[in-house]
C-alpha cells in the first residue's frame, strides 16, 4: 500500500462493482475470527450504496480498502453501523477508525434522534466506539426489533444467544444515546459555570471551603480491562454451553 492515498467517503451506486469483494471478505473474516456477523448478499450491500447509507474506503488507484453500512431498526429509533470490514492488505493503518468516524457522522446526519448501537467481539472496534462516545450496555437497552435479531442466525454463536434468552452472548453491546449525551453536555456546562463562579468568589474571599460534587463514573475505554472481561465472558459462556448441552449440569454462572 506504499504511496497509495486512501479515500474514505460515502458510497454511491458507482461503487456496486465492489459488492462481491466486500461480502466475500466479510464471510472469510468471520470464519477466521471464529465468530459470526449477519451474512449479507452483494445485492444487499448494493442497496445500501444506492441509498447513500454506506461508507467505503478506496485508494486513488481504485483498489477497495474498507466498508461499513447503516441499518435502522424499531421505526428508526435505533441505528446500527454494521458490517465493518477492512481489506487485510490495509489493516493496521487506522482505516477502520476513519471508516467508523465517517459512518458515525453519516448516521448522526441521517438519524439525528436515533440511538446508535453495535455488537462486537473486537477490542479495536470497542476502543474506537468508546472514543466516539459509545458506552457498554446490556442487551436489554438495544432494539427489540425481531428483524435485527434474526440477522444473528448466521452467527456461529447463535445457540448461545438463544440459550441466554437474548440477554447475553459473546458480543459486547455498545450504545450512543444522543439524549443522554445532550444531558451530559448540559451538566458539564453547568458544572463549568459553577466552578467559574466559585473561582471568582474564592478570589475575593479570604477563607472558605471547596466542595467537589461526586460525578457519575464514565467509561474510559480501558482496553486492557475489556480484554480481561472478554476472556472471562468467553470462558463462562462457552463452558456453560458445553456443560449444559453435554451433561445437563446444574452449575450456574452469573455475569455482571
Amino acid at each position: 500500500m506504499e504511496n497509495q492515498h486512501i479515500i474514505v467517503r460515502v458510497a454511491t451506486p458507482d461503487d456496486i462493482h465492489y459488492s462481491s469483494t466486500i461480502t466475500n471478505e466479510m464471510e472469510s473474516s468471520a470464519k477466521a475470527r471464529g465468530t459470526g456477523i449477519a451474512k449479507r448478499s452483494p445485492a444487499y450491500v448494493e442497496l445500501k450504496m444506492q441509498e447513500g447509507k454506506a461508507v467505503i474506503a478506496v485508494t486513488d488507484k481504485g483498489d477497495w480498502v474498507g466498508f461499513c453500512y447503516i441499518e435502522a431498526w424499531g421505526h428508526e429509533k435505533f441505528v446500527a453501523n454494521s458490517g465493518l470490514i477492512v481489506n487485510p492488505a490495509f489493516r493496521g493503518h487506522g482505516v477502520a477508525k476513519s471508516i467508523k468516524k465517517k459512518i458515525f457522522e453519516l448516521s448522526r446526519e441521517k438519524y439525528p434522534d436515533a440511538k446508535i448501537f453495535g455488537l462486537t467481539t473486537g477490542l479495536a472496534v470497542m476502543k474506537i466506539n468508546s472514543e466516539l462516545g459509545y458506552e457498554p450496555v446490556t442487551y436489554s437497552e438495544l432494539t427489540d426489533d425481531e428483524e435485527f435479531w434474526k440477522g444473528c442466525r448466521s452467527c456461529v454463536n447463535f445457540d448461545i444467544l438463544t440459550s441466554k434468552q437474548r440477554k447475553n452472548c459473546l458480543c459486547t453491546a455498545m450504545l450512543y444515546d444522543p439524549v443522554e449525551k445532550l444531558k451530559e453536555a448540559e451538566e458539564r456546562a453547568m458544572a463549568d459555570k459553577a466552578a467559574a463562579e466559585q473561582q471568582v468568589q474564592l478570589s475575593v474571599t479570604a477563607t472558605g471551603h471547596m466542595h467537589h460534587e461526586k460525578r457519575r463514573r464514565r467509561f474510559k475505554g480501558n482496553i486492557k480491562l475489556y480484554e480481561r472481561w472478554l476472556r472471562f465472558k468467553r470462558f463462562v459462556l462457552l463452558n456453560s454451553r458445553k456443560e449444559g448441552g453435554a451433561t445437563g449440569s446444574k452449575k450456574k454462572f452469573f455475569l455482571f
Side-chain angles (χ1 to χ4, degrees):
M1 67 172 282
E2 292 184 7
N3 302 319
Q4 293 194 67
H5 178 59
I6 298 175
I7 304 164
V8 179
R9 56 173 174 76
V10 177
T12 71
D14 293 335
D15 297 312
I16 61 175
H17 60 283
Y18 294 111
S19 60
S20 294
T21 300
I22 291 170
T23 53
N24 288 340
E25 186 55 46
M26 284 179 176
E27 185 174 2
S28 62
S29 179
K31 290 179 179 178
R33 291 197 310 270
T35 58
I37 57 176
K39 192 172 182 179
R40 296 304 184 197
S41 67
Y44 185 82
V45 168
E46 291 169 11
L47 176 63
K48 290 299 175 181
M49 292 176 174
Q50 292 166 348
E51 293 176 337
K53 296 179 181 178
V55 165
I56 193 168
V58 295
T59 68
D60 52 1
K61 296 181 180 179
D63 297 319
W64 173 73
V65 177
F67 183 76
C68 191
Y69 59 87
I70 298 171
E71 290 182 305
W73 306 100
H75 304 290
E76 300 185 355
K77 292 180 180 179
F78 288 86
V79 166
N81 295 161
S82 304
L84 176 64
I85 191 71
V86 176
N87 185 331
F90 294 88
R91 291 175 185 171
H93 298 279
V95 176
K97 185 174 183 178
S98 297
I99 293 174
K100 284 285 291 183
K101 185 175 184 296
K102 188 70 175 180
I103 198 74
F104 178 78
E105 293 171 350
L106 184 62
S107 298
R108 295 286 293 127
E109 177 186 328
K110 286 185 172 293
Y111 305 94
D113 300 321
K115 295 179 181 180
I116 307 174
F117 73 98
L119 288 170
T120 182
T121 57
L123 288 169
V125 174
M126 292 178 200
K127 184 176 181 181
I128 296 170
N129 282 348
S130 68
E131 291 173 355
L132 290 171
Y134 290 70
E135 295 191 13
V137 296
T138 62
Y139 280 31
S140 62
E141 294 186 57
L142 307 182
T143 178
D144 59 1
D145 193 320
E146 291 297 329
E147 288 302 311
F148 168 77
W149 295 102
K150 284 180 181 178
C152 293
R153 289 178 178 174
S154 60
C155 177
V156 295
N157 298 312
F158 184 64
D159 61 327
I160 296 179
L161 180 68
T162 54
S163 69
K164 300 299 178 183
Q165 289 78 51
R166 222 162 65 186
K167 296 178 180 179
N168 211 335
C169 198
L170 295 185
C171 284
T172 293
M174 301 190 77
L175 181 77
Y176 177 94
D177 185 343
V179 174
E180 183 64 25
K181 292 302 175 183
L182 179 59
K183 289 180 180 178
E184 290 177 15
E186 291 174 346
E187 289 175 1
R188 284 195 299 269
M190 291 177 64
D192 291 343
K193 181 180 179 181
E197 291 175 349
Q198 186 179 44
Q199 187 64 38
V200 171
Q201 186 178 21
L202 287 173
S203 67
V204 296
T205 304
T207 60
H209 300 283
M210 294 190 68
H211 172 67
H212 295 282
E213 182 182 353
K214 187 176 181 180
R215 304 183 69 179
R216 286 185 295 172
R217 186 177 181 182
R218 294 292 176 192
F219 173 63
K220 299 298 182 183
N222 189 327
I223 207 68
K224 293 295 183 182
L225 180 62
Y226 249 117
E227 189 173 10
R228 292 196 297 272
W229 159 247
L230 285 176
R231 286 200 299 267
F232 173 72
K233 184 177 183 180
R234 177 177 290 273
F235 170 79
V236 170
L237 291 177
L238 291 180
N239 277 277
S240 177
R241 175 170 63 176
K242 290 177 182 177
E243 294 186 11
T247 65
S249 172
K250 295 182 180 180
K251 186 175 181 181
K252 295 183 179 180
F253 294 91
F254 295 91
L255 294 179
F256 300 94

